[in-house]
Structure formats: C-alpha cells, structure tokens
C-alpha cells in the first residue's frame, strides 16, 4: 500500500479542524449546541485553577465566545446530559458514551484495589456498604460528609481517609456517579438514580470488550485526523497500547486505514495512520480563521505536548508545580493561537477584587513579529475574555512585551 505524505500545513489544517479551532468561533453555546461541541471534542477536561477562567470554561469559550459557565453546569447537573469520569484526567463526557466506560470502570476497579490497599487508604473496602446506605438514605454527599470519626489531615486533596477513598473507588468502578461540584468538591450519588438502566447494564462480554476497543480507536482517530497507535491509546486513556496496535493492524489489513507520513514543523516525518479518504478531506482546502484566541493550557489541541511541538513547533510545559525561581515563563501561561500557528504565550491573571485582568508578560514565538495589527487582535480577544474572567477592564504591566 502506498504511503501518503501530508505537508505540515495540511496536517495542521486537519488537526485544527478536528479540534473545532479552524472555523470562526461563533454560534450558540447552550443545550444541544454545547453538547454537540463537547461530543465533537470527545470530552472536556476539568480543572480547578482559576487565574483567568477554569480550564473547561476556557476550552469551550475559545470555540464559542457566547459560552457561559452556567450553561455547562446546567447541561451536567440539571439535564444529566454529561457524566464525569477519567480520560487522562477528570473530564465531563457526553452521557451517551457512558456504556463505553464500562471497560475502564472494570480496569480501574482492579487497579485501584491494588494501589489503595495500604497506608491511610487501607481498609476502604469496609466502608462501601456504610457509604452506599448513607447516600441511599440521605442523598448525594461530598467527601467531607462521610467518615465521621476517622482520622483526618487538613482536608486537602491529599487527605485520603478510608471513607473518601471508598467514595472515589465506588465512583471510578461505577456504583456511584458524580452529579456536580460544590466549590469544586465532587458530589456523589447512586448511579442507579442518575444513569439510564440501559446504559448501566450493558454486558461486559468479550465481544463488548472488542467493541469498546474499536469504539475508542475509531473515535480517537476521528478526533485526531491521523495518529499513531500510542496516540490512539492515549486519547481516551482506557485501552492499552497493545490493543491499539492490534486494532491498527486489523484495520490496515481490511483497507480501513492507510499509512501516512506527517511532515513535522522541523521538516522531519512522522509515521501515522489515517482513513483512506484523508486526501479528499474538506479541511485540507479550508484556511483556518485568522481570529486570535487564548487557549487553556489544558486545551485538547495542546494536551499531547509532544504532538503539539511536532505539528506547530511550539514547546510548552505548564509550570504550576515548578518552583518560582526555576520557571522559564510563569505559573499559568496561556498559549495564543492565530490562524494555523501558535503565535505567543501570555502570563496574565484576573484580580477580581480589583475588577481587572492584568497582563504580566507576553512572549511572541521566535521569528514572529508582534506588530500593531496583532496587538489590536490581542486586545480584542481580551475584551471578549474579561466577561468570562468576571472583571471589566484590562491592564498591562510595565515591560509586559518580552521580545
């Protein structure tokens, strides 16, 4: 079979199209329209850091500037159109995908029993029935509502007393669902009260496992455009690399995949797989919008840092956990996308008590000119962003433009 070569420009166009970043960021962002966007992305990662806006809100805002956080909260907590579980991290996922997480829940159950059997988490299994009875009698709970009398630390995310561990285990393995958050603390309820029985009781047979692997790989490829087996396995993060490799081999043999060489930003080639009709994909003829937009560090287009570096020549590492003296840029720095290029990164924060979004520093990418036109585009984006950030004005620190 002949190997198709995609130029770097074509690869970027495909990738941005699949991540809903090629078209102009317009359109409704409520109810069915918001759910359709989340389904197109596959999931939206949740994160609590709120320097400008939380990651999930900025991910959706970057694609639909009419988005408001209460729309996601309603879709998740009121309409039950989304459920929360893990991909590579905690995420909200369309409820229609719930049955495809059955394999993940089973594998999590096996893995977490081994990981959490000792230390302060030890004995968590003895709390299962107590917690289930409490929720059945009293309704949804947070971790602070369970484990009365157990020894606790300071109450942070690391404070894994047995009852909190039991809550997390029952959620990850399927007996409980997260039904919302209070101050970003998860609220848990019985799955039987939240999820339709037809989705809960899908049989986990060998055929179902094969179907899940097929769904995961096909869905990942649809959202990536082209991928290696490693990238397919990592997308949802609940099948193994061996399973992804076997799926690629079978699809290649049946003519449902073709090998492609992706030209990277540095001119090197990356062997991947794509669907046979990839050369006729409409995205190849679509010029990405020139609208400048700020992306979350957890944006799905940048989640795979190595892939982003290969495609865009953009090296990015989040420095939240890097000591301040060793940071190259800043605590929480936002990439800036324009057209098919990541053009800069910006360190900024909303000071809500001062009603201001303060731009501390911006670094254009090497070789890129930050002229008056791009500055105007940046200021226009900030004017849109301040409403999401909950402030009314923007200020620039002295020496903010780092050339």
């Amino acid at each position: 079979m002949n190997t198709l070569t995609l130029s770097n420009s074509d690869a970027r166009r495909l990738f941005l199209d699949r991540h809903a970043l090629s078209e102009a960021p317009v359109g409704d962002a409520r109810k069915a329209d918001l759910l359709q966007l989340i389904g197109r992305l596959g999931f939206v990662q949740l994160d609590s850091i709120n320097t400008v806006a939380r990651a999930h809100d900025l991910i959706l805002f970057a694609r639909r500037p009419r988005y408001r956080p209460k729309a996601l909260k309603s879709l998740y907590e009121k309409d039950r159109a989304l459920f929360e579980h893990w991909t590579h991290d905690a995420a909200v996922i369309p409820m229609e995908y719930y049955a495809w997480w059955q394999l993940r829940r089973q594998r999590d159950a096996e893995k977490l029993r081994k990981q959490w059997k000792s230390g302060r988490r030890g004995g968590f299994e003895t709390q299962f029935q107590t917690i289930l009875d409490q929720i059945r009698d009293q309704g949804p709970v947070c971790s602070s509502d369970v484990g009365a009398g157990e020894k606790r630390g300071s109450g942070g995310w690391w404070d894994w007393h047995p009852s909190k561990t039991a809550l997390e285990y029952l959620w990850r393995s399927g007996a409980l669902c997260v039904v919302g958050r209070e101050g970003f603390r998860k609220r848990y309820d019985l799955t039987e009260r939240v999820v339709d029985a037809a989705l809960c009781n899908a049989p986990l047979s060998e055929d179902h496992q094969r179907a899940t692997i097929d769904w995961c790989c096909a869905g990942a490829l649809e959202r990536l455009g082209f991928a290696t087996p490693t990238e397919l396995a990592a997308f949802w993060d609940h099948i193994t690399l061996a399973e992804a490799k076997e799926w690629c081999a079978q699809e290649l043999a049946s003519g449902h995949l073709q090998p492609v060489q992706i030209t990277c930003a540095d001119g090197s080639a990356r062997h991947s797989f794509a669907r046979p009709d990839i050369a006729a994909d409409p995205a190849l003829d679509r010029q990405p919008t020139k609208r400048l937009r700020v992306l979350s560090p957890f944006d799905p287009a940048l989640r795979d840092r190595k892939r982003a570096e290969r495609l865009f020549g953009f090296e990015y590492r989040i420095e939240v956990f890097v000591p301040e003296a060793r940071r190259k840029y800043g605590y929480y720095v936002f990439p800036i996308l324009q057209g098919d290029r990541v053009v800069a990164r910006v360190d900024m924060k909303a000071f809500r008590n001062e009603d201001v979004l303060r731009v501390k520093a911006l670094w254009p990418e090497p070789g890129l000119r930050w002229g008056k036109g791009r500055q105007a585009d940046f200021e226009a984006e900030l004017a849109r962003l301040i409403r999401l950030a909950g402030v009314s004005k923007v200020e620039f620190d002295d020496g903010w433009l780092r050339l």
Side-chain angles (χ1 to χ4, degrees):
M1 182 181 295
N2 293 331
T3 299
L4 174 69
T5 297
L6 288 177
S7 69
N8 183 247
S9 176
D10 283 348
R12 292 187 193 200
R13 289 187 181 194
L14 281 167
F15 187 70
L16 291 172
D17 173 77
R18 297 306 193 268
H19 287 80
L21 290 170
S22 183
E23 68 263 32
V26 296
D28 200 358
R30 297 171 296 175
K31 299 290 183 177
D33 296 285
L34 182 60
L35 184 60
Q36 188 275 335
L37 175 60
I38 296 170
R40 180 175 173 184
L41 298 174
F43 57 87
V44 173
Q45 181 177 338
L46 299 171
D47 192 77
S48 63
I49 297 175
N50 195 16
T51 55
V52 173
R54 288 190 165 126
H56 42 283
D57 293 324
L58 187 52
I59 288 167
L60 296 168
F61 178 86
R63 293 155 174 84
R64 301 288 186 274
R66 291 168 64 183
Y67 165 80
R68 298 294 177 261
K70 65 181 180 181
L72 181 64
K73 185 177 180 68
S74 177
L75 202 62
Y76 177 21
E77 299 183 11
K78 181 181 177 181
D79 300 339
R80 299 284 186 246
L82 302 167
F83 72 98
E84 182 174 337
H85 212 272
W86 278 68
T87 54
H88 64 292
D89 210 322
V92 285
I93 306 150
M95 184 63 81
E96 64 182 291
Y97 300 168
Y98 186 84
W100 297 115
W101 256 251
Q102 192 166 355
L103 180 62
R104 172 66 182 260
R105 291 189 291 270
Q106 181 192 53
R107 289 178 172 178
D108 277 0
E110 296 168 354
K111 178 181 69 176
L112 297 178
R113 276 184 185 271
K114 296 176 183 177
Q115 287 182 355
W116 293 351
K117 66 182 179 180
S118 60
R120 292 197 63 198
R121 301 182 185 190
F124 72 94
E125 293 161 297
T126 65
Q127 302 303 313
F128 288 170
Q129 196 59 52
T130 299
I131 286 173
L132 291 170
D133 290 344
Q134 180 180 348
I135 295 173
R136 185 169 283 108
D137 294 342
Q138 300 176 17
V141 300
C142 295
S143 60
S144 59
D145 300 322
V146 299
E150 291 179 352
K151 184 178 180 181
R152 297 169 182 260
S154 59
W157 60 265
W158 57 88
D159 185 15
W160 285 82
H161 53 80
S163 291
K164 176 176 179 176
T165 303
L167 267 180
E168 285 286 302
Y169 180 89
L170 290 168
W171 165 51
R172 295 278 293 272
S173 58
L176 300 179
C177 268
V178 175
V179 293
R181 290 178 178 253
E182 295 175 356
F184 221 71
R185 292 184 305 160
K186 295 190 286 288
R187 289 187 296 111
Y188 305 81
D189 201 353
L190 301 176
T191 297
E192 64 199 51
R193 292 174 175 167
V194 180
V195 182
D196 186 90
L199 293 174
C200 287
N201 300 324
L204 187 61
S205 63
E206 185 178 344
D207 286 343
H208 180 84
Q209 181 168 326
R210 285 198 296 266
T212 300
I213 293 167
D214 180 70
W215 182 88
C216 285
C217 289
L221 186 61
E222 178 183 352
R223 291 169 176 86
L224 294 173
F226 50 86
T228 65
T230 298
E231 291 165 341
L232 294 178
F235 185 84
W236 308 103
D237 198 32
H238 62 267
I239 64 170
T240 67
L241 176 57
E243 289 165 343
K245 286 181 175 179
E246 182 180 359
W247 182 84
C248 287
Q250 292 172 348
E251 292 290 285
L252 194 62
S254 64
H256 296 146
L257 280 185
Q258 70 168 346
V260 293
Q261 292 284 359
I262 304 300
T263 306
C264 300
D266 63 2
S268 64
R270 173 83 167 174
H271 180 74
S272 297
F273 295 103
R275 291 303 190 189
D277 60 353
I278 194 72
D281 195 293
L284 296 174
D285 297 321
R286 191 177 301 128
Q287 180 70 31
T289 177
K290 293 296 184 183
R291 171 82 161 260
L292 182 148
R293 48 188 141 187
V294 173
L295 300 182
S296 164
F298 299 110
D299 194 280
L302 300 171
R303 176 176 66 88
D304 186 337
R305 309 293 193 210
K306 292 181 179 178
R307 184 179 173 104
E309 187 171 350
R310 286 193 298 269
L311 279 181
F312 300 100
F314 180 67
E315 182 181 356
Y316 181 80
R317 302 291 182 271
I318 194 164
E319 297 181 296
V320 167
F321 300 110
V322 177
E324 184 173 1
R326 293 171 51 194
R327 290 176 190 150
K328 184 176 181 180
Y329 295 105
Y331 172 77
Y332 199 80
V333 172
F334 300 85
I336 299 176
L337 178 74
Q338 189 171 37
D340 69 349
R341 299 181 65 183
V342 181
V343 297
R345 65 194 82 201
V346 60
D347 182 6
M348 60 184 179
K349 182 178 180 180
F351 291 84
R352 296 175 181 90
N353 60 330
E354 301 175 32
D355 194 32
V356 64
L357 175 64
R358 183 164 292 121
V359 178
K360 180 179 180 180
L362 181 144
W363 298 264
E365 283 298 282
L368 188 139
R369 182 174 175 271
W370 195 265
K372 292 181 179 180
R374 188 162 278 131
Q375 176 65 17
D377 292 340
F378 178 51
E379 291 178 7
E381 176 69 354
L382 294 181
R384 291 184 287 266
L385 190 57
I386 55 174
R387 183 171 178 181
L388 183 68
V391 299
S392 66
K393 58 187 177 183
V394 179
E395 292 180 359
F396 293 82
D397 284 357
D398 291 340
W400 66 273
L401 185 56
R402 310 290 177 86
L403 298 175

